[in-house]
Structure formats: structure tokens, C-alpha cells
Amino acid sequence: MKRLIFLILVLVTVQVSGQIKKNRPIAWVIPVVDTRINGLAGGLIINSLKDTDSVLTTEINGLGIELIGVGFFLPLAPSSPIYSESDDFYLNDENLASIVNSYNYAKYRINGISISGGGIGGHDININGLNLSGINTLTGKMNGLSVCILINISGVVNGVSIGGLVNNSIQSKGLQIGLFNKTTRLRGIQIGLWNQNEKRSLPMINWNFK
């Protein structure tokens, strides 16, 4: 009983610490911690690069503008930030469902429009709306339209993902357009030079709806 009470207290404490404490109307500078910006948010990057207990540390309702963005450095990564295991790991339904669900919990969330010079970057970033990245994109969950010049990586995509070179996701529901498209679970269409999903790999166009 004591252990149960202790666990409940811990969970309540974590939940309270994860609540956003500050609201900024009209405009504010990013990065910030425990802050909701309703309007225009602008700065070098959205990522605070700080250790916090918050589940959601920054929320932008409106327009977020990054002058640089962590996604600019994505090609320098030694391996893909999404695919760190073999494909067999992700083809297991239980593993895949757990991973997809984990992307519902964001540290940074944008509801509206995200514009980034180099590219927004972070598997703990969720975007609901429109994402325009100058070079690369890395997000945990993308609901809407995401467009970038080179590499477009998201854990989960619901909508349209357009990458000039690569689109890569764990789960995609909608449309992928790029030279190379890959997703572990597809419910939609892929258009590109080479397209890969759980059913097949094909040039030009690929699909899966069940």
C-alpha cells in the first residue's frame, strides 16, 4: 500500500512538473523552457538544449521561425536518428505500436506553421500544420504537410511528406514524394525513384492501404 501511494505521488509530481507555466502572447524569442507562445516565435533554434523534467517544455500556437535549426546538421549524423535497429525490430507489431505511441509525447510542439532556414530537428518535436525546412527535417510526429530540400525524417507522418532526396519514417499515413522513400508501415502512396514499405519495393510508385 505504501509503495502504491508513493508511486501515485511520483506520477502526480511528474505530471505537475510537466505542465507549461508561462504564456506569452503575440511574440516571443525561442528557445524557451516551460513556455507557450500564442503568436510569433522566432530565434536560432526551437530546441532548448537543456535537461528538464517537462514532458512538453515549449508550445507554439501560430508561426515558429528558426533562423538555423538543428536539422541543418542532420547529414553529419553517423546514422539515421530513427532507424537504429534492424528493420525486423520494427516489423514486429508490438514493437512498432509502442514506438508509434511514444511519438505522441513531445517536448516541443508547433500548432500552425514552422519555417526553418536549415531545418527543424528533433525526434521530440511534433508539428500540427505546415513545416517548411530549408535543407532537412527531423520530427517525431508530423500531422499535415512537411517540405524540405534534402532529407525528411519523421517517426510518424499523417499527411504529406516531400523531401527532395529522402523521405524516411516508421509509420506513414498519406503521401511520400522524393527520390527515395522508405517507411516501415505505410497506409497510402509513395512516389519516387525508389519506394520501400512493408509489402514491397518498387520504382516510380508504390502503395499499401491495409
Side-chain angles (χ1 to χ4, degrees):
M1 185 65 179
K2 289 182 179 180
R3 289 183 178 179
L4 178 59
I5 294 173
F6 175 75
L7 179 60
I8 292 173
L9 288 174
V10 169
L11 291 174
V12 170
T13 302
V14 170
Q15 184 176 7
V16 171
S17 66
Q19 293 176 347
I20 288 180
K21 301 177 178 66
K22 294 170 283 189
N23 285 280
R24 307 297 186 188
I26 303 176
W28 203 254
V29 176
I30 52 175
V32 288
V33 175
D34 291 333
T35 302
R36 177 180 292 109
I37 303 168
N38 299 309
L40 171 64
L44 294 179
I45 59 176
I46 189 175
N47 315 69
S48 66
L49 304 180
K50 292 181 180 179
D51 256 344
T52 68
D53 293 331
S54 299
V55 174
L56 178 64
T57 188
T58 305
E59 183 177 69
I60 300 169
N61 298 309
L63 173 61
I65 299 177
E66 290 183 317
L67 297 181
I68 299 178
V70 176
F72 177 80
F73 304 99
L74 185 59
L76 301 179
S79 62
S80 165
I82 297 295
Y83 290 111
S84 57
E85 305 274 354
S86 69
D87 285 349
D88 290 340
F89 177 84
Y90 293 96
L91 288 174
N92 179 292
D93 286 340
E94 185 177 345
N95 291 340
L96 193 142
S98 175
I99 293 168
V100 167
N101 183 63
S102 72
Y103 287 117
N104 290 323
Y105 303 94
K107 196 171 183 179
Y108 310 96
R109 182 163 61 216
I110 299 175
N111 301 312
I113 301 174
S114 171
I115 300 175
S116 182
I120 197 164
H123 54 76
D124 48 7
I125 297 175
N126 285 7
I127 299 177
N128 301 305
L130 172 63
N131 171 62
L132 302 175
S133 288
I135 301 177
N136 307 297
T137 295
L138 171 61
T139 58
K141 190 171 185 178
M142 178 68 218
N143 298 314
L145 171 62
S146 180
V147 181
C148 70
I149 294 174
L150 292 180
I151 303 171
N152 206 338
I153 296 177
S154 289
V156 177
V157 178
N158 297 307
V160 180
S161 177
I162 301 175
L165 183 62
V166 173
N167 286 296
N168 197 348
S169 68
I170 292 176
Q171 176 174 288
S172 182
K173 294 182 178 180
L175 175 64
Q176 284 186 325
I177 300 175
L179 284 180
F180 303 97
N181 300 300
K182 179 181 178 181
T183 186
T184 303
R185 175 180 286 175
L186 176 67
R187 299 296 181 267
I189 297 173
Q190 298 168 306
I191 299 174
L193 185 65
W194 189 251
N195 309 289
Q196 181 178 344
N197 60 57
E198 72 271 37
K199 290 293 184 180
R200 65 185 79 81
S201 296
L202 288 174
M204 305 310 293
I205 188 167
N206 204 348
W207 63 93
N208 188 38
F209 298 104
K210 62 179 181 179

